[in-house]
């Protein structure tokens, strides 16, 4: 129970499941995992992406199996090993791995950005590296892996087109999102929706420091809405939410958690920390509607 309490209170910690492919160590945020099951035979899907092994149906639920070894350009997995069954962006997906080592609690502050010390294939689909005892654990970017295989699972930019022409507004918005690609896509989407004054940062710490600087200068009116991802190095979105909502001078600023991890448990955490709204990453159209509502901007 201690683990749950600590992780629910915005302490900037996460639990990482360490697993292996060949002799290489990788990690995934435990919050994304539904269950771990032994490998079972899959049904191949005709004309599928090379990294898709096939589909299977445990308990009458169809799940797509992805070969992580193939995603990492290490060949093709053979039958055996384990499936890590995940849920994020409202998708149930199983990732085929060789073995599971265990769960480690770490601070987002201890996760360092990938650099040239890891392979190009790993660097393109990793969000950070943890030094644990005598080894490095590479945290993989599972959202990017899935969107690379099927781009339709990413931000639904068509929702922005459906909104139609919008009046430009200089309502100041602060965005914290560590993915360079998603950061740019969200800013572009907000610009298209008329929100042209977006200050964007690559983690919660940079966003928080900016807001604290405005507070010091008595210019908090320059932040009318905060949008934050959950999973970010240095400071995660739950920690940022806790700091903003526990400070009398900033607690009334509307804060939206916009994350791939808005499942039932994570929603409860966000609510307990004071988030005003929580949306799943594909819902970019809903994000605009919620901002409209929270900052009371009409479409006229």
């Amino acid at each position: 129970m201690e683990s749950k309490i600590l992780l629910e209170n915005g302490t900037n910690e996460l639990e990482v499941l360490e697993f292996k492919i060949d002799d290489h160590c990788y990690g995934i945020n435990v919050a994304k995992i539904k269950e771990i099951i032994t490998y079972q035979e899959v049904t191949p899907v005709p004309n599928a992406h090379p990294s898709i092994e096939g589909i299977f149906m445990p308990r009458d639920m169809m799940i797509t199996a992805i070969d992580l070894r193939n995603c990492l350009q290490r060949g093709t997995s053979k039958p055996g090993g384990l499936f890590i069954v995940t849920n994020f962006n409202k998708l149930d997906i199983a990732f085929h791995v060789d073995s599971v080592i265990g769960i480690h609690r770490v601070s987002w502050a201890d996760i360092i950005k990938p650099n040239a010390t890891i392979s190009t294939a790993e660097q393109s689909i990793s969000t950070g590296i943890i030094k644990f005892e005598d080894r490095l654990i590479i945290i993989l970017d599972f959202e990017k892996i899935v969107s690379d295989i099927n781009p339709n699972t990413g931000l639904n930019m068509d929702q922005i087109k459906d909104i139609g022409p919008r009046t430009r507004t200089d309502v100041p918005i602060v965005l914290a999102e560590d993915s360079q690609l998603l950061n740019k896509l969200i800013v572009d989407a907000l610009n298209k929706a008329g929100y042209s004054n977006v200050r964007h940062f690559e983690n919660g710490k940079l966003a928080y420091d900016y807001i604290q600087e405005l507070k010091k200068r008595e210019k908090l009116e320059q932040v009318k809405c905060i949008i934050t991802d959950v999973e970010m190095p240095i400071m995660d979105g739950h920690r940022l939410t806790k700091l903003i909502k526990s400070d009398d001078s900033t607690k009334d600023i509307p804060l939206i958690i916009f994350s791939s991890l808005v499942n039932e448990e994570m929603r409860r955490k966000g609510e307990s920390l004071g988030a005003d709204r929580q949306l799943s990453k594909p819902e970019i159209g809903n994000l605009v509607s919620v901002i409209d509502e929270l900052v009371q901007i009409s479409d006229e």
Side-chain angles (χ1 to χ4, degrees), residues 26-83:
Y26 300 98
I28 178 173
N29 188 342
V30 168
K32 285 190 170 81
I33 299 173
K34 286 182 74 172
E35 60 181 338
I36 298 169
I37 59 178
T38 54
Y39 172 86
Q40 51 187 271
E41 192 175 337
V42 300
T43 302
V45 178
N47 304 316
H49 187 283
S51 294
I52 294 180
E53 287 189 33
I55 54 174
F56 64 105
M57 290 188 67
R59 297 185 298 280
D60 297 326
M61 180 194 309
M62 190 172 75
I63 296 178
T64 300
I66 290 179
D67 183 357
L68 262 189
R69 178 181 270 100
N70 186 274
C71 297
L72 293 161
Q73 298 178 20
R74 297 190 179 279
T76 304
S77 290
K78 294 180 171 57
L82 300 167
F83 281 143

Side-chain angles (χ1 to χ4, degrees), residues 157 160 166 168-169 173-175 183-198 227 284 287-289 291:
M157 300 300 280
I160 298 299
R166 305 258 300 185
R168 286 174 69 82
T169 172
I173 295 172
V174 169
L175 168 68
N183 194 310
K184 182 180 185 307
L185 285 174
I186 294 168
V187 171
D188 288 350
L190 293 180
N191 287 169
K192 284 175 183 165
Y195 290 107
S196 54
N197 186 5
V198 183
I227 304 166
I284 191 74
L287 176 64
V288 172
S289 301
I291 296 170

Side-chain angles (χ1 to χ4, degrees), residues 80-124:
L82 300 167
F83 281 143
I84 299 174
V85 182
T86 63
N87 177 265
F88 56 88
N89 280 347
K90 299 184 173 178
L91 297 169
D92 291 317
I93 294 173
F95 292 91
H96 190 180
V97 305
D98 289 350
S99 59
V100 163
I101 307 302
I103 293 174
H104 315 297
R105 179 180 296 163
V106 298
S107 167
W108 281 107
D110 295 331
I111 296 178
I112 57 177
K113 277 284 189 184
N115 58 27
T117 59
I118 61 177
S119 76
T120 308
E122 289 169 340
Q123 190 172 1
S124 69

Side-chain angles (χ1 to χ4, degrees), residues 170-230:
D170 63 354
V171 168
I173 295 172
V174 169
L175 168 68
E177 166 62 68
D178 69 314
S179 162
Q180 284 187 348
L181 175 64
L182 282 175
N183 194 310
K184 182 180 185 307
L185 285 174
I186 294 168
V187 171
D188 288 350
L190 293 180
N191 287 169
K192 284 175 183 165
Y195 290 107
S196 54
N197 186 5
V198 183
R199 294 294 300 263
H200 50 100
F201 303 91
E202 66 178 40
N203 61 58
K205 177 74 163 58
L206 293 174
Y208 183 69
D209 289 348
Y210 170 70
I211 293 165
Q212 287 303 292
E213 180 61 29
L214 293 178
K215 175 183 169 182
K216 197 189 305 180
R217 290 160 46 202
E218 298 185 348
K219 293 194 172 182
L220 280 174
E221 72 277 359
Q222 293 183 20
V223 187
K224 294 294 186 189
C225 183
I226 300 165
I227 304 166
T228 181
D229 188 15
V230 171

